[in-house]
Amino acid sequence: MTKTKKLLLALIGCSLLLIGLFIGRAQREITLTLGMFTGSNWDVYNAESYKVIDDAIAKFEKAHPNVTIEYKSGILKQDYSAWLASDIADGEQPDVFMVLSEDFNRLSSLGALLPLDDLIGENEISTDIFYESALSSGSYQSTQYALPYEINPTMMCVNRDLLEREGIAVPEGNWTIEQFYQICAQVTKDTNGDGTIDQYGSYGFEWQDAVNGYGIRLFDDEGATSNLNRSDVREALSYIQKLKDLNGGYQVSSEDFDKGNVAFCPLTFAQYRTYQPYPYRVSKYSTFKWSCLAMPGTTDNQKTSQIATSLIAINSKTTQRQLAFEFLETLTIDQEIQQELFENSQGASALKSVMASDSTKALLDQDALNNYSLKQDVLDAIMENAVIEPKFKKYNNVIERCDYLITNALNENKIDDQLVDIEREIDNQLK
């Protein structure tokens, strides 16, 4: 072989090596950015807020050695919406990011979130693996824009000792809103004969709980009009007034519940698991046995419980569409990561398989050894029958205003007089 040929082959070899190194370097330099906040989405203490995310990142990077996941730590939840809005305005939003429920409708309508339906189909993902209410939280105008990372259902905490003293059986699964009132009326009394009521039926059961219990939809699908001034809404609000009237004008407090003097109290799953001073550390600061049920309704298998959802979405302008989706899968669909999430956070998994697992059952059964109890099948039923919130752009602002106006009217015992005006104001806000 001539020197010229040897030199040519050497040059070719060096070129191929350099090309290979360049390609390999380029592959290694793929970076996905993640937007998230520190702490719990449910406003309860969480010392392990980064652990599951870090483990998910490590698992993804191991399967994708050419990809690095980067995120900015230390962003507080109360600052997160403003931080994300600023990044979006500057065109620097992360490839994958958490979305607060109060921001979801707005971000979806503005086109900041990548539609996921095609990617879900291309990657052969069955959406049946999720609880319907959790999945729908990430849907806007029939398009899936986010997947659920963690969920937090509301359930009814029951003071078993109090009911036992009164000779009342703890209600079963599909108990009714009428049963709830009857028990509250039966247990509300003066127990020491001093002429003052000192035992109460409920604490924290609000007007939206009654509306859900009656199966009422407050708005039409498009969010164009409200249904506030209807007979069934008036009945639900009258129900709340009746509950308040049982207490003879006394405002039942969390302290009353802590002392074991209240039969029922709605509690989120995150509160159930955290056990801080009330409304969290119920078992520590109380001496009564308690358990949790679905919220009461009017019919069997009715959707009665509110459910809050932590969502994760993809930047609509990402240059790494498929990789971003695969990382989204790792966070929300990977069985191992979601099981770890359930074991290390306060919320529940949106995956049915995780909530039905033996590991989940074992964790819930540990509680039964103490004075509190939530059975796996009860929790599953609560999440299967959770209320699906409306999805229109102004919903969060409108429901917040509804809550303010209706709560004030109920406190002043003027709901019958003011409901027409409240509906008129809300309809004007919807226009």
Side-chain angles (χ1 to χ4, degrees):
M1 182 180 295
T2 65
K3 289 184 178 180
T4 303
K5 286 184 176 180
K6 288 181 178 179
L7 181 60
L8 182 60
L9 288 173
L11 288 172
I12 292 172
C14 288
S15 298
L16 291 173
L17 179 61
L18 289 171
I19 291 171
L21 289 172
F22 178 79
I23 293 173
R25 183 179 178 185
Q27 288 178 332
R28 286 195 298 274
E29 288 181 349
I30 295 176
T31 300
L32 288 179
T33 51
L34 171 66
M36 60 173 289
F37 51 84
T38 186
S40 169
N41 191 50
W42 321 122
D43 299 322
V44 293
Y45 178 70
N46 181 11
E48 304 287 349
S49 60
Y50 288 114
K51 184 180 187 305
V52 178
I53 293 290
D54 287 339
D55 288 347
I57 289 173
K59 184 170 187 176
F60 180 81
E61 289 180 342
K62 183 177 181 181
H64 302 79
N66 61 318
V67 181
T68 299
I69 306 291
E70 292 183 355
Y71 67 86
K72 180 180 178 181
S73 61
I75 303 169
L76 299 177
K77 181 185 176 186
Q78 59 263 35
D79 301 325
Y80 182 74
S81 293
W83 172 82
L84 184 61
S86 177
D87 271 14
I88 291 174
D90 294 339
E92 298 177 355
Q93 65 264 43
D95 294 291
V96 179
F97 52 95
M98 290 185 172
V99 180
L100 297 179
S101 57
E102 57 263 34
D103 296 333
F104 174 75
N105 292 348
R106 178 176 56 84
L107 292 176
S108 299
S109 65
L110 292 174
L113 312 182
L114 181 71
L116 300 178
D117 295 313
D118 289 345
L119 282 163
I120 289 171
E122 291 165 10
N123 289 272
E124 300 181 344
I125 304 298
S126 171
T127 54
D128 291 340
I129 63 177
F130 296 108
Y131 288 101
E132 180 188 7
S133 56
L135 184 68
S136 71
S137 297
S139 176
Y140 183 79
Q141 295 185 348
S142 303
T143 298
Q144 198 72 36
Y145 285 101
L147 292 181
Y149 175 65
E150 188 179 13
I151 56 179
N152 188 23
T154 298
M155 47 205 180
M156 184 67 82
C157 177
V158 185
N159 184 330
R160 300 202 311 261
D161 283 352
L162 190 153
L163 294 191
E164 185 177 331
R165 285 198 308 269
E166 298 293 336
I168 302 170
V170 175
E172 298 294 332
N174 291 321
W175 63 314
T176 67
I177 203 160
E178 183 58 34
Q179 281 179 284
F180 176 55
Y181 178 80
Q182 289 173 355
I183 295 174
C184 287
Q186 187 174 343
V187 303
T188 301
K189 61 176 63 175
D190 169 18
T191 62
N192 59 14
D194 67 355
T196 302
I197 297 173
D198 52 25
Q199 180 173 281
Y200 311 95
S202 68
Y203 166 73
F205 190 86
E206 306 294 347
W207 72 269
Q208 290 187 64
D209 298 314
V211 165
N212 292 334
Y214 277 87
I216 297 168
R217 298 177 63 191
L218 293 176
F219 308 97
D220 65 1
D221 291 337
E222 292 75 28
T225 59
S226 69
N227 302 316
L228 294 173
N229 189 30
R230 290 192 336 192
S231 59
D232 55 354
V233 177
R234 286 185 174 274
E235 184 179 358
L237 298 180
S238 174
Y239 179 92
I240 289 295
Q241 197 66 62
K242 284 169 55 182
L243 277 178
K244 289 177 177 290
D245 291 344
L246 289 175
N247 305 320
Y250 176 74
Q251 188 75 31
V252 182
S253 69
S254 59
E255 185 179 358
D256 294 314
F257 183 77
D258 288 344
K259 291 178 179 178
N261 297 330
V262 182
F264 299 106
C265 174
L267 200 70
T268 70
F269 185 63
Q271 291 168 343
Y272 170 86
R273 301 188 77 188
T274 304
Y275 316 129
Q276 294 289 338
Y278 193 80
Y280 311 125
R281 209 174 272 279
V282 178
S283 62
K284 179 176 179 180
Y285 291 96
S286 301
T287 57
F288 59 90
K289 297 190 297 292
W290 58 286
S291 58
C292 294
L293 301 172
M295 299 291 280
T298 54
T299 60
D300 289 349
N301 298 318
Q302 181 183 317
K303 297 182 184 300
T304 56
S305 294
Q306 290 287 136
I307 187 169
T309 308
S310 175
L311 298 166
I312 301 184
I314 297 175
N315 173 7
S316 61
K317 297 179 180 178
T318 183
T319 59
Q320 301 293 338
R321 180 175 175 271
Q322 179 59 31
L323 279 174
F325 185 77
E326 289 177 21
F327 182 50
L328 179 62
E329 281 187 85
T330 302
L331 291 168
T332 62
I333 296 176
D334 185 281
Q335 178 90 13
E336 181 182 32
I337 294 299
Q338 279 289 307
Q339 187 69 55
E340 182 184 352
L341 176 70
F342 178 76
E343 294 170 4
N344 288 280
S345 74
Q346 297 88 351
S349 172
L351 291 180
K352 296 177 183 179
S353 57
V354 169
M355 299 314 296
S357 72
D358 291 340
S359 296
T360 295
K361 184 178 187 302
L363 279 172
L364 293 174
D365 286 349
Q366 282 180 358
D367 297 341
L369 299 176
N370 299 296
N371 285 334
Y372 42 96
S373 174
L374 172 61
K375 295 180 180 178
Q376 187 178 37
D377 60 339
V378 172
L379 180 58
D380 177 72
I382 289 171
M383 295 190 293
E384 282 283 9
N385 296 303
V387 174
I388 298 175
E389 287 189 341
K391 288 294 177 184
F392 53 87
K393 187 176 180 179
K394 296 182 179 180
Y395 174 73
N396 295 101
N397 291 334
V398 167
I399 197 64
E400 184 177 327
R401 185 61 177 165
C402 274
D403 185 46
Y404 174 79
L405 294 171
I406 291 175
T407 298
N408 283 347
L410 286 168
N411 288 339
E412 296 171 2
N413 202 10
K414 295 180 179 179
I415 193 66
D416 286 338
D417 298 331
Q418 294 183 11
L419 196 56
V420 173
D421 292 335
I422 292 173
E423 182 183 60
R424 185 181 298 114
E425 177 176 337
I426 294 303
D427 283 345
N428 287 334
Q429 189 173 344
L430 287 170
K431 291 179 181 177

